[in-house]
Amino acid sequence: MIHCPLSTIKGFPKQAGRETDRSLRPCYTHVPVSLRSPCRGHRQSTSQPPKHAKRPERSGFSPTATSKYDWIGPPDRLSNLRPIIYHIPENETPLERELRHLRQETEDWNHEFWTNQNLSFSKEKEEYIQLQLTAKGLSERDDDGRKRTLSSEEMAVFYKHFLDKNIKRHSSYNREWYRRNFTITLLMARVALHNTWRTLTGRRKKGKTT
């Protein structure tokens, strides 16, 4: 299992990664990629997004009807999560539709959570930096017009405070993430069994007719 503690939070220290192009690309998925690994994030409710959350904006892009893959786009500028457009199989069964809808709803839930997480983080971070600079008698910018920054030791105080302050919301998010992941995994198993049984019974019927 891959953990993403705070790499999903914009501005939080993380290793620099290679930039990706800004286009949707197909990705064949065998696992519930609609879920992100549980992170120590904050959450107001395990079933509903915060009141100030906005519904995620979804791309109008739609893969061709012949496409057999899920399509994954570039990271969202607010949530830092990659949007996913799920493949709709031909002759989709009610069980497959239930699975796809749950995965998409989980994507929306995750997007809303991290959007609000990042907005709160950025706002509190700027307030902390400004407060520290004011305490030192410094302006926001130096004589050359460059924005002043704090040392890594000073910022570590803020990061720890932010995590401690939101620990209950982090725990709620993790519990909900595991619950959703478990439900999606069970649905995927049911879909696989159903499709296998349908294939086997189809072969038997075909064999009898010949």
Side-chain angles (χ1 to χ4, degrees):
M1 180 175 292
I2 302 173
H3 292 281
C4 62
L6 304 173
S7 63
T8 318
I9 303 179
K10 286 191 173 182
F12 214 96
K14 61 180 178 180
Q15 293 183 343
R18 184 177 62 183
E19 291 187 2
T20 57
D21 55 50
R22 306 295 295 179
S23 61
L24 286 163
R25 56 179 60 188
C27 177
Y28 190 72
T29 54
H30 298 273
V31 296
V33 295
S34 66
L35 293 175
R36 311 296 171 183
S37 49
C39 310
R40 290 187 174 277
H42 61 278
R43 177 173 173 77
Q44 291 182 347
S45 168
T46 58
S47 58
Q48 297 180 350
K51 292 182 179 180
H52 63 281
K54 295 182 179 180
R55 297 299 299 174
E57 295 181 0
R58 290 295 169 184
S59 169
F61 175 84
S62 179
T64 60
T66 57
S67 175
K68 297 181 180 180
Y69 307 100
D70 294 336
W71 287 70
I72 301 179
D76 181 83
R77 65 184 185 86
L78 293 178
S79 69
N80 232 18
L81 301 178
R82 292 178 177 273
I84 300 176
I85 299 177
Y86 291 100
H87 163 63
I88 302 178
E90 188 177 0
N91 300 322
E92 184 180 42
T93 66
L95 196 59
E96 289 174 328
R97 187 180 304 109
E98 181 183 357
L99 172 61
R100 178 170 58 84
H101 286 174
L102 178 58
R103 295 172 77 184
Q104 187 63 70
E105 191 276 330
T106 298
E107 277 295 305
D108 294 344
W109 167 79
N110 236 358
H111 173 70
E112 289 179 358
F113 172 83
W114 285 111
T115 294
N116 285 285
Q117 170 97 340
N118 291 338
L119 290 174
S120 296
F121 176 83
S122 299
K123 180 176 179 295
E124 293 180 28
K125 179 183 175 182
E126 289 302 316
E127 291 175 350
Y128 173 80
I129 293 176
Q130 188 60 47
L131 187 63
Q132 294 301 310
L133 292 177
T134 301
K136 295 179 180 181
L138 299 174
S139 60
E140 183 179 0
R141 299 184 179 276
D142 59 21
D143 295 336
D144 296 326
R146 293 173 299 188
K147 195 171 182 178
R148 297 183 190 274
T149 58
L150 301 179
S151 67
S152 57
E153 290 79 10
E154 290 173 312
M155 290 307 301
V157 175
F158 166 74
Y159 297 141
K160 183 179 185 304
H161 172 74
F162 184 82
L163 292 176
D164 292 343
K165 174 184 175 182
N166 294 288
I167 189 169
K168 290 184 178 179
R169 299 178 74 188
H170 293 178
S171 298
S172 295
Y173 172 84
N174 286 344
R175 285 194 299 270
E176 178 69 0
W177 187 92
Y178 281 117
R179 186 191 70 79
R180 288 171 178 270
N181 190 35
F182 181 73
T183 303
I184 286 177
T185 301
L186 285 181
L187 271 176
M188 292 182 71
R190 290 177 60 191
V191 168
L193 289 173
H194 179 267
N195 290 342
T196 300
W197 177 253
R198 186 171 56 179
T199 301
L200 291 175
T201 54
R203 288 178 180 176
R204 290 176 183 174
K205 291 179 180 179
K206 186 176 181 180
K208 289 180 179 181
T209 56
T210 57

